[in-house]
Amino acid sequence: MIYDKLYSNMRKYLKPFQLFEYFNLLIASLIVFGPIYYLWLNLPIKSDDYLIHLGWAEGIAKNPQNLPASVTAHAAWQWLVWLSHTIFDLSWGTAGLVVTLGSVVLTVGILYWLIRKHLSPLLSGALAIGLSIFAPLMFIDPLNNVMFMTNGYFAANIYHNPTILLLKPFALLQFVLVSDTLEKPQSDWKIIVFTAVVSALAIYSKPSYAICLLPALAVMVLFKILMKKRVDWMRLIFGIVLPTLAFLFWQYLITFGAEADSSIVFAPFKVMNHFSAYLLPKLVLSIVFPLCVTFFCWREARREKKIQLAWLGFLFSLLFTYFFAETGEREFAANFYWSSEITIFLLFVACVLFLAERRYFFENAVRKWFILVTGFLHLTFGLIYYFYNIYNLYTYTFYQFWW
C-alpha cells in the first residue's frame, strides 16, 4: 500500500497532469466553500465562534496569560491566524479566512488523493467535495438549532467552528495512518516520525478525535493480539500512543486540573436532552449511508480495517457525547459533540473509500441502488443545509435579519 511510502511517492503523484487536476480541485473548492466561510468570518454578532476565536488569536502573543485554559490547550488555529497576520500583514479577519479555507481545501485535497487512486478525476473531485457537504437526513424537527447543528443529529460537516475544520485534515491523515499501522507488521523510522507529527498536529488542533481513537485502537490491537497476529509496536507506541497521550495529559491538566473551574462528569443524556428530543431516530438518520454500506457489504466490510476503526471511533464518540458533560459555564457547550462530528465524517470517508476500492459491489442492482440513493439523500440534505447557511448568513450580515 502507498501509505508507508508517502514521503517518496509524492514525487510520483505530482506529475504535471496531476498538478493540473489539483489546481482544478483548488479552484472548485474555493468556488464552493469560499462564500460560506467569507460570510461566517464577517458575521457581526458577539456569539459567533469565529469572532471569539479571532479575539483569542489577537491575544495569543500579546497576553497569553489571559486566554482561557481550554483555548491554550488546543490553540493551533489561533497560532496559524497570528502567523498569517504577522508574516503576510493580513487583517485578522482575512487571516482567519485564509487559515479556515486552507483547512477545508487541504481536507478536500487529501480526500481527492485517497479516492483518485481508484476512480476518475471528475468522480474523485465530486466525491471529495461531496464528502465535505454531506449532512444528516433531517426529516424530524429539521429547523431546531440547525445553523449550529445542536439538534440531536450528528453532522459530518458544519461551518461555524474553525477548530473542528482545522482538525479535519489532520484527523483524516491520522485515520489513514492508523489504519495502515493495523494492517502492517513493521514500519521504518521515517513513517513512524511522520505518524507522530500528524498525531501531534491532530490533537493540538482539537482533542476530539484523539479521545475516541485511543480506545478504538486499544480494542483493535487487543483483537490482533488474541488472534496472534503481529503488531507494529514501534509505530503504534511512538507514532500514535505516546504523542497522543502526552498531549492529552497536558490538555487535561490545564483544562480540568486543580485550579480549573470545570470538570468532566458522568451525566447521561443531560446535554443532548437539553437541545433536542427524538435522539434515537435522529442518530439513525445521521448514519443511513454508513449503515447501508456496512449491511449490504457485511462479509467484506467487517474485515476492512478502515471500516472497523471508523465504526469503533464513532461508537466511542457516542459514549462521550451521550453520557458525559462538563461542569461550570461550559456545561451546555456540548464540547463532546465534536467527537461525534469528526468520527462520523471519518465513517462516511471510510465507507466511500471501501466502495471505491471494490466497485464490483455495484454489480448487484439492489445493493447498488440502496447505497446510491442513501448517499444521494445525505448529499441533498447537505446542499440544503449549505444554502440554508448561505441565505441566513447573507440576510443577517446585510439586513440584520435572522430566521
Side-chain angles (χ1 to χ4, degrees), residues 3-299:
Y3 308 128
D4 62 347
K5 298 180 180 177
L6 178 63
Y7 52 89
S8 61
N9 283 353
M10 288 304 292
R11 184 179 302 172
K12 181 191 75 174
Y13 249 76
L14 294 179
K15 294 177 181 178
F17 73 93
Q18 289 184 327
L19 283 174
F20 182 70
E21 289 180 16
Y22 281 95
F23 177 76
N24 288 334
L25 183 70
L26 170 64
I27 299 302
S29 300
L30 292 176
I31 291 172
V32 172
F33 297 109
I36 195 166
Y37 291 112
Y38 173 83
L39 288 170
W40 267 113
L41 262 296
N42 288 275
L43 193 63
I45 56 174
K46 292 182 179 179
S47 60
D48 170 42
D49 277 22
Y50 288 98
L51 197 62
I52 295 169
H53 282 280
L54 281 173
W56 289 330
E58 289 186 51
I60 197 165
K62 297 177 183 177
N63 302 296
Q65 69 278 3
N66 294 334
L67 260 65
S70 58
V71 176
T72 305
H74 59 94
W77 190 86
Q78 284 77 15
W79 279 115
L80 287 173
V81 170
W82 179 82
L83 285 171
S84 300
H85 166 77
T86 304
I87 295 173
F88 302 109
D89 196 27
L90 302 174
S91 68
W92 288 107
T94 303
L97 180 60
V98 167
V99 173
T100 301
L101 267 179
S103 305
V104 175
V105 169
L106 182 57
T107 302
V108 173
I110 295 169
L111 288 169
Y112 181 84
W113 169 66
L114 292 168
I115 300 169
R116 179 65 181 90
K117 291 177 290 180
H118 310 288
L119 302 176
S120 68
L122 185 61
L123 184 54
S124 298
L127 286 170
I129 292 174
L131 280 166
S132 300
I133 295 175
F134 276 14
L137 310 187
M138 292 178 280
F139 290 113
I140 303 172
D141 196 20
L143 297 180
N144 175 32
N145 294 322
V146 68
M147 285 293 287
F148 301 100
M149 204 57 79
T150 51
N151 56 2
Y153 290 102
F154 296 102
N157 299 287
I158 54 88
Y159 304 104
H160 71 275
N161 184 271
T163 55
I164 196 68
L165 295 170
L166 180 60
L167 169 62
K168 273 189 171 183
F170 300 121
L172 177 57
L173 271 180
Q174 188 179 30
F175 172 76
V176 170
L177 291 166
V178 171
S179 300
D180 188 52
T181 303
L182 292 166
E183 292 174 351
K184 286 188 167 48
Q186 190 174 359
S187 304
D188 63 41
W189 67 268
K190 292 181 181 179
I191 197 65
I192 293 172
V193 171
F194 181 72
T195 304
V197 170
V198 171
S199 297
L201 289 171
I203 193 168
Y204 190 52
S205 298
K206 206 176 186 72
S208 304
Y209 182 52
I211 62 175
C212 305
L213 173 64
L214 288 180
L217 185 58
V219 171
M220 295 186 70
V221 170
L222 178 61
F223 184 76
K224 287 197 73 170
I225 293 171
L226 293 175
M227 296 297 292
K228 298 182 179 179
K229 294 183 178 180
R230 289 185 63 186
V231 177
D232 187 353
W233 289 110
M234 292 293 290
R235 189 174 175 190
L236 180 69
I237 294 171
F238 295 104
I240 303 165
V241 176
L242 280 184
T244 302
L245 281 179
F247 266 95
L248 268 181
F249 178 76
W250 171 70
Q251 289 170 330
Y252 182 86
L253 199 62
I254 66 171
T255 308
F256 302 107
E259 298 180 2
D261 58 358
S262 182
S263 61
I264 298 174
V265 295
F266 183 70
F269 299 101
K270 182 178 181 179
V271 174
M272 294 300 285
N273 279 331
H274 173 76
F275 290 107
S276 178
Y278 313 111
L279 294 181
L280 181 58
K282 287 183 176 182
L283 168 61
V284 174
L285 289 170
S286 299
I287 53 173
V288 175
F289 174 72
L291 284 173
C292 278
V293 172
T294 306
F295 175 77
F296 284 106
C297 309
W298 173 249
R299 183 174 295 178

